[in-house]
Structure formats: structure tokens, C-alpha cells
Amino acid sequence: MNAIQQVIQKQKQNGYRCLIGYITTGDPSPLQTLEIADALIRGGVDILELGLPFSDPIADGPTIQNASLRALKAGTTPKCVLEIVKQIKTKQDIPLVIMTYYNPVFKYGVKRFLIDAKMAGVNGFIIPDLPIEEADEYRQAAKTAQIETIFLASPATSPQRLQRIVDASSGFLYLVSRFGVTGIQTSVEDTTVNLIKKVQPFTSGKIPLAVGFGISKPEHVKRVISAGADAVIVGSAFINIVQRSAQNHGTTLKELELAASTLKVATKV
Amino acid sequence: MNKISSYPVDGKFGRYGGRFVPEILMEAITELEKAYDQAKADPAFQKQLDYFLAEFVGRPTPLYLAENLTQKLDGAKIYLKREDLAHGGAHKINNTIAQALLAKRMGKTRIIAETGAGQHGVATAIACVALGLKGVVYMGTEDCERQRLNVFRMKLLNTEVHPVDSGSKTLKDSINEAFRDWVTNLESTYYLIGSTMGPHPYPMIVRDFQSVIGKEIKQQFKQKTGGLPDALVACVGGGSNAMGTFYPFEDDDIYVKLYGVEAAGQGIETGKHSATLATGTEGVFHGMYTYILQDLHGQISETYSVSAGLDYPGVGPEHSFLKTLKRADYVYVNDQEAVEAFLMLCKEEGILPALESSHALAYAIKLASRMHKDQSIVVTLSGRGDKDVESVAKYMGMRI
């Protein structure tokens, strides 16, 4: 069993589900990312999802778009992201996955990037603009580098496609909770609960089911977990904290830790 | 090898094209491909489209011999394919009316579109009104500013214009925003892409609907001269008017040279340009594998051109294919040359071309002087220039 699944399994045995926290690497600066990651891990994030910023993130809402722009302005490059991964890994034993769009990976060289990422300590990749049909080279390279390929499923995905996506995925399946882009919303809709119930039979016994997009509050976490999710992914809510208190870094870190711990408590079954 | 025109095969033109989109859109583009195949095979759809093209768009557009210009240049004859005379003032309507008919057939009620110069936005607005659909257009704030006239035209045509203030505030950002709208409103909404770009099947659909330009050129030129032109010249941003011009000539007419003209802006060496095919590298952007302008780390570059319609860091995948096969030559023309060509056509022919089309014209002017008098060039005049008079005045340091 791979490191990602081990963590999810362990949480389950302890009566919890898994909290996956997303931040954009290099926002507001590469150095601060290390402290932000520490704060989230202290708060109880079980798996860290690090965004490698891309100039044109079409699957992201304004929060992550702006974070990506700030990170790029701060000079964040793929090498820089791998360096940060290395530094986190020397201190913390936590699975790390990279979320990015395909072009930065392609430009670096798919094989080379996955090998370098593995050496840095990356456990998996999420590439939202790379559907299974276009992923042959990436899957091959990931297999060689022993990196997990986390594919996305959506409310528009048919059962036939869902089966193929589950088969191509390792680590966990990333279920997009709703029609739309990333970003917080006020509540988790019934349609999301029904979607989880529909997808769960496909993943059950095969691969953990993680649900993301629009999850920001403890009550959202509880709802998604009671519907059958093995993990929840929270991103924009953390980034909003980073952005809001950009002037006072100390406060930001405390707020992030508190937000993560409140969400983690909500993952208790 | 297969005939060039038989591509795309499995959604790809050689290695270019594909479907690099979020999972949530995969079913939608598959559904679109099916709907398009059915429509193409349905004589009723074709009849309906022919009706609108003839009665509403005003096709066929003339193929006009620019005699004064030809005489002045003392080289090859220059013919102008007058897409500027199509309803709305550009070739864009060929595609919007056709895709809007397709959207209606698919039961969609809301149309979204991106626009750079505003010509595709206006053409979408017109098609939506004509067919009773709701239109929403995304446009970069930078483009809204330099194409104010078209913003107002869209509003008059009952279409919502959403200014996009992210990134470079131009065409590429309006496309990002249109994609975001689409994933949010998938059920009701049809994304009417305005160029031969984006994920499969869009590059094929837009090419097919625009190829009426090249088909007419072939027929009209034959009627006038009994033969084929020696060269076809069209401007390339995303590449729809060029693709429409080239496509019917791709296979059998190897003596017909194809020239795609990109925008060199303030000059290639300044970095302020949009010459994607001439200076770019391969990558994945806006759903397709194609030539793009990017930095060392794969971040998309900000582009520049005096003409908003060419100001785009990607290009349709079929153009990348034609470049690789060396079936077409991709060249560039800078702001100044384009503005000079704009002024020359005004003075010599009494025709005000769009700044986008002025790029094609500027190259044709250079080309004509290198060719024999008994040879002919067809320039696709993709749009009219009324929208650009303010930009031209500004460029010349004048105020209207």
C-alpha cells in the first residue's frame, strides 16, 4: 500500500477521515510557504496538496487564480516547488501531492519532472487539464517514477468513464463536488451528497474517495464524510486566510493552524 | 500518408490538437462531437445553414480584383476576398450562425463566447438575436478599452458583456473565463468558440464552417480566370479565417502557396508580439497541443499587437500541423507595416480593412512585388476596419 493510502487507512482505524489541505506554493513567497505548511500540519492536515502555480488556471476560481499570480510574481518555478517539498519532507513525515496544469510539467519534460519530483519526496500528482485520454505518457512516467496518479471525476462523468478513471487512478480519486471552479460556497448541496453516494460503489474497496471544491467549513466536512467520503480537500478557505492577513504573518500562521484543527475535528466519524 | 484534409484523426492533426480539458468538460465535448456529426449528415441542417448564409449573412462575398493597388505595386495581381462585406463586418458570422444553429439543435438556450477585437462577440450577439438565444460575451478589459465601439454594439444587440480583469486582460483571459463559466453552467450553456482552437472537436467544427471562404475563392477565381491563384494570404491569430481560406486548397493544389501572417507587434526582438508559429514552441494551452508563446517554465507569455484580434499566445492546432508539414508558410508583419497597409487600401481602393486583415495585406504587398505580373494572390480581407479607426488615429498620434 502506498504512503497516501496508508495515511487514509490509519485515520480510518482511529475513527477519523482524512483532511487534505491545499495551498499555492510560493504565495505570498516561497519562504513563507514552509511556515504555512508547518502551521497546517500542526493544525491536523494529514496530506498536503501543493499547487505549482500556472499562469492560466482554467479550473480555478478567483481565490486560487490570484494566489497563483502572487506566487508567479514572487518568482516561483517548478524547481523552487520541488525544493520546498524537500524541505518539508526533511522535517515532516506527511504525504505530499502536487497540483498543477499540464504545460509546466510538459515543458520541464514529463519523465524528468516525475523522477525529480519523486526524488524530492512528492507522492502524487493532480493535473486537472489532463483527462485519461491524453495521459498515456504521464501514466507511464509515473509508473516508472513510482508516483501516484490522482485523476479527477466530476458530476458530469458517466458510469463508463468513472470506471476507467478509477482504474487509472492511484493514491485517491479526486471527486469534484459540483459544477464549477474551485472556491468557497455557503453550503454543501444535496446534489453533492447524492454524487458521493453514486460514486462510492465504484471506489469502495479499490481506492480512497476524496471530495473537493467548495468545502470550507466544519459542517461541510461532516456532511461530505457522512455521505461516504474517505477524505476532504480544502483549499480556497486556507488561501483566503493567507491573503487576508498578508501583512501580519504571525497572525496568519495562528489562524491557519486553528482553521485546520477545527476542520480536522470535524473529520471524526 | 493520409490526405491532409482527412485530419483530424482521433481528435488530432498529426501530434497537434487533442482534448486537454478538465474532466467535467469531457462528456460535453463528446456530446458536441456527436451532435456535430449528426448535423453534418442531415440535409435539413445544411439547408437551414445555407439559407442563413445567403439571406442573412449575404454570401457569397465578392472576390474583388484590386486594380489600383495592383497597378501601383507593378507585380502580381491582388484579389481581395471581401469577408468585410459579410453581415457584422467580418468572417466571424460564418461560424457563429452555424454553431448557434447547432446549439439550438442540441437544446441549449444560453450561448457564451470569448472575444478579442470584439468581432466574434458581435457576430455571436447577432446570431443569438437571429435565433432567439441568450448571449453572454467575455472580453478582456484592455480589449474593451481599445474596442469600445464593439462593446456598445454587443450591448445594443441585447448581449451581456463581462469585462475580464485577470492576467493580460486580453483574449486569452477572456477564454479562461469562458471555460470557467462553461464548467459552471454546463447543462444550459453552449460555448461558441470563435476560432479554430480549443479542445477537439472545436478546431474541426470552426474550420468546416469557415471553409465556405476557401470554397468560394476556388469557384470565383476559376470563373474569373479559369485556373487557381498562385498564393493565398490570410492573417493568423487563433487562425479561423486563414484555416477557412486554406482548407479547400490543402490537398490537391500544391502549387497554390499558403501564407499565414502573424502579428510581429513592436518587433520580434522587443518580445512585444504575437507571432506564435514563427517564434513559439510546442505546449498545451486552452485544451490543445499546439505552438504557444511561453517562458522557460511553461508559463504562458503575455502578447502584444496593435490589433486585438491577433493578440493571442496560442494558435489553432491545424496551423501547427501545416507548418510542420511545410504545407503553409507562417510569416509576420509588425504594427507599422500593418497600419501602412491599412492606409494604402483606404487611399488606393476605397476600402477600410480591419487591422487584423491589414497584416495579411501588408505581407501580400511585399509578396506581389516579388512575383510576376501574370501571377495572382488572393488576400482574405477578414473584416472591415471601422472598429479600428480610433486605434489607427492613436497610432498616428492623432485624436479624433
Side-chain angles (χ1 to χ4, degrees):
Chain A
M1 193 183 282
N2 60 62
I4 294 173
Q5 280 176 265
Q6 275 172 17
V7 165
I8 296 172
Q9 181 85 8
K10 199 180 144 206
Q11 289 297 317
K12 219 170 210 176
Q13 282 162 359
N14 296 341
Y16 285 87
R17 296 294 178 263
C18 187
L19 176 64
I20 303 172
Y22 169 90
I23 48 170
T24 303
T25 318
D27 171 37
S29 76
L31 265 181
Q32 280 161 302
T33 298
L34 283 173
E35 295 169 332
I36 289 168
D38 278 348
L40 289 180
I41 295 167
R42 275 200 305 275
V45 161
D46 304 300
I47 296 173
L48 199 59
E49 182 188 341
L50 289 174
L52 189 168
F54 179 54
S55 53
D56 297 81
I58 58 167
D60 287 301
T63 304
I64 296 179
Q65 282 174 47
N66 291 329
S68 303
L69 283 181
R70 288 192 299 269
L72 289 173
K73 268 199 185 134
T76 311
T77 63
K79 282 227 160 77
C80 183
V81 172
L82 296 187
E83 189 51 44
I84 288 170
V85 168
K86 251 185 230 167
Q87 295 198 27
I88 295 173
K89 280 278 183 170
T90 55
K91 288 192 290 180
Q92 311 269 6
D93 184 25
I94 182 174
L96 285 175
V97 298
I98 286 192
M99 199 296 290
T100 191
Y101 290 79
Y102 192 50
N103 200 50
V105 179
F106 174 79
K107 185 72 179 167
Y108 193 108
V110 179
K111 263 189 202 159
R112 200 158 66 86
F113 195 24
L114 293 186
I115 288 168
D116 288 0
K118 176 72 182 183
M119 305 246 285
V122 173
N123 298 85
F125 269 77
I126 302 167
I127 308 180
D129 63 344
L130 191 69
I132 46 172
E133 283 81 354
E134 304 290 353
D136 289 350
E137 188 189 357
Y138 158 73
R139 284 176 66 191
Q140 194 58 48
K143 208 172 170 186
T144 310
Q146 292 182 296
I147 276 199
E148 313 311 328
T149 52
I150 298 150
F151 283 96
L152 296 94
S154 83
T157 304
S158 67
Q160 292 82 358
R161 278 188 70 77
L162 187 55
Q163 190 58 58
R164 289 171 56 208
I165 292 169
V166 167
D167 291 344
S169 299
S170 57
F172 58 85
L173 177 76
Y174 191 138
L175 179 63
V176 173
S177 70
R178 58 178 156 91
F179 289 96
V181 292
T182 57
I184 60 170
Q185 59 183 26
T186 47
S187 63
V188 169
E189 302 289 330
D190 291 345
T191 49
T192 298
V193 171
N194 293 335
L195 175 67
I196 296 168
K197 288 181 178 160
K198 213 178 80 188
V199 172
Q200 219 253 345
F202 287 84
T203 55
S204 179
K206 279 190 180 161
I207 191 167
L209 174 62
V211 179
F213 281 43
I215 297 165
S216 62
K217 293 181 180 150
E219 57 265 35
H220 301 167
V221 171
K222 282 181 190 156
R223 192 132 197 253
V224 165
I225 282 174
S226 64
D230 301 303
V232 291
I233 304 164
V234 178
S236 295
F238 293 139
I239 291 173
N240 278 334
I241 296 173
V242 173
Q243 186 189 357
R244 214 169 42 228
S245 45
Q247 283 81 13
N248 190 341
H249 194 52
T251 317
T252 310
L253 297 177
K254 273 181 211 138
E255 269 189 63
L256 283 169
E257 187 180 337
L258 181 66
S261 66
T262 316
L263 292 166
K264 182 61 208 175
V265 169
T267 66
K268 190 164 168 46
V269 186
Chain B
M1 201 182 114
N2 297 333
K3 279 185 169 181
I4 301 176
S5 68
S6 66
Y7 288 87
V9 175
D10 291 334
K12 295 201 169 163
F13 302 90
R15 64 176 180 272
Y16 304 103
R19 309 171 177 89
F20 295 85
V21 291
E23 172 56 32
I24 201 159
L25 294 177
M26 285 304 290
E27 301 282 354
I29 59 177
T30 310
E31 181 199 358
L32 172 61
E33 191 177 359
K34 268 189 214 147
Y36 174 65
D37 284 345
Q38 281 166 4
K40 210 162 77 171
D42 180 359
F45 178 80
Q46 199 53 52
K47 203 174 150 198
Q48 205 180 12
L49 177 56
D50 289 344
Y51 168 80
F52 276 99
L53 289 179
E55 304 289 324
F56 187 64
V57 176
R59 301 207 74 89
T61 59
L63 181 68
Y64 179 69
L65 173 61
E67 278 188 85
N68 301 339
L69 187 63
T70 299
Q71 211 160 40
K72 187 181 164 84
L73 297 170
D74 199 30
K77 288 190 196 69
I78 294 185
Y79 287 85
L80 305 174
K81 179 57 176 167
R82 299 289 309 274
E83 292 301 298
D84 59 317
L85 294 178
H87 179 39
H91 72 292
K92 293 292 185 188
I93 188 97
N94 302 330
N95 171 50
T96 59
I97 202 82
Q99 281 201 62
L101 281 168
L102 182 60
K104 219 172 161 175
R105 217 180 133 92
M106 292 171 72
K108 305 289 179 182
T109 52
R110 179 174 175 269
I111 303 283
I112 54 168
E114 81 292 343
T115 198
Q119 291 302 91
H120 175 56
V122 168
T124 300
I126 291 170
C128 285
V129 174
L131 299 174
L133 296 158
K134 163 95 192 112
V136 175
V137 172
Y138 289 91
M139 187 169 184
T141 49
E142 165 85 22
D143 290 338
C144 287
E145 175 55 33
R146 54 182 168 173
Q147 302 288 348
R148 278 182 295 176
L149 181 72
N150 273 344
V151 175
F152 190 59
R153 282 170 85 194
M154 285 184 269
K155 286 180 182 162
L156 290 175
L157 290 161
N158 207 23
T159 290
E160 267 175 51
V161 179
H162 289 253
V164 178
D165 203 33
S166 57
S168 60
K169 308 175 202 305
T170 61
L171 181 57
K172 88 171 169 77
D173 309 283
S174 68
I175 296 170
N176 293 343
E177 217 46 46
F179 270 116
R180 291 178 188 125
D181 179 313
W182 199 23
V183 300
T184 310
N185 303 293
L186 208 53
E187 202 54 38
S188 65
T189 299
Y190 182 98
Y191 181 14
L192 205 165
I193 291 187
S195 195
T196 48
M197 44 143 290
H200 178 73
Y202 282 107
M204 172 182 75
I205 291 179
V206 178
R207 172 200 71 193
D208 289 355
F209 288 147
Q210 287 296 359
S211 63
V212 65
I213 302 172
K215 278 182 210 151
E216 285 178 8
I217 291 174
K218 212 170 195 179
Q219 198 179 29
Q220 290 167 323
F221 197 86
K222 195 159 197 180
Q223 256 168 20
K224 284 182 201 294
T225 70
L228 289 168
D230 298 284
L232 299 172
V233 184
C235 63
V236 177
S240 72
N241 89 81
M243 216 51 251
T245 302
F246 296 169
Y247 184 63
F249 293 87
E250 268 181 358
D251 290 327
D252 38 9
D253 315 306
I254 52 163
Y255 299 107
V256 181
K257 298 271 260 170
L258 310 176
Y259 296 96
V261 187
E262 297 187 304
Q266 297 179 8
I268 299 297
E269 66 290 351
T270 64
K272 292 188 172 175
H273 63 81
S274 347
T276 309
L277 286 160
T279 70
T281 49
E282 293 178 12
V284 172
F285 181 49
H286 283 158
M288 53 186 168
Y289 181 75
T290 189
Y291 275 84
I292 56 178
L293 291 169
Q294 58 184 330
D295 73 7
L296 283 174
H297 306 297
Q299 306 296 343
I300 306 305
S301 306
E302 296 202 350
T303 52
Y304 167 82
S305 168
V306 68
S307 85
L310 301 183
D311 201 350
Y312 179 61
V315 70
E318 193 166 0
H319 284 295
S320 296
F321 187 47
L322 293 181
K323 175 190 160 85
T324 303
L325 295 174
K326 295 189 164 50
R327 176 64 190 98
D329 281 339
Y330 293 91
V331 295
Y332 47 78
V333 151
N334 66 28
D335 283 357
Q336 192 183 341
E337 293 168 309
V339 171
E340 279 167 10
F342 174 98
L343 297 173
M344 192 186 270
L345 201 68
C346 289
K347 283 181 189 143
E348 297 297 331
E349 297 292 347
I351 297 171
L352 224 112
L355 275 176
E356 290 77 16
S357 324
S358 300
H359 284 73
L361 196 64
Y363 188 76
I365 289 169
K366 290 193 218 177
L367 192 62
S369 56
R370 297 202 301 262
M371 287 167 63
H372 291 294
K373 276 188 179 180
D374 56 356
Q375 291 184 298
S376 302
I377 301 171
V378 174
V379 182
T380 297
L381 214 63
S382 56
R384 70 174 185 225
D386 306 58
K387 68 184 177 61
D388 293 316
V389 291
E390 218 177 310
S391 295
V392 171
K394 203 173 147 196
Y395 188 85
M396 294 165 71
M398 286 157 48
R399 279 186 67 181
I400 307 174

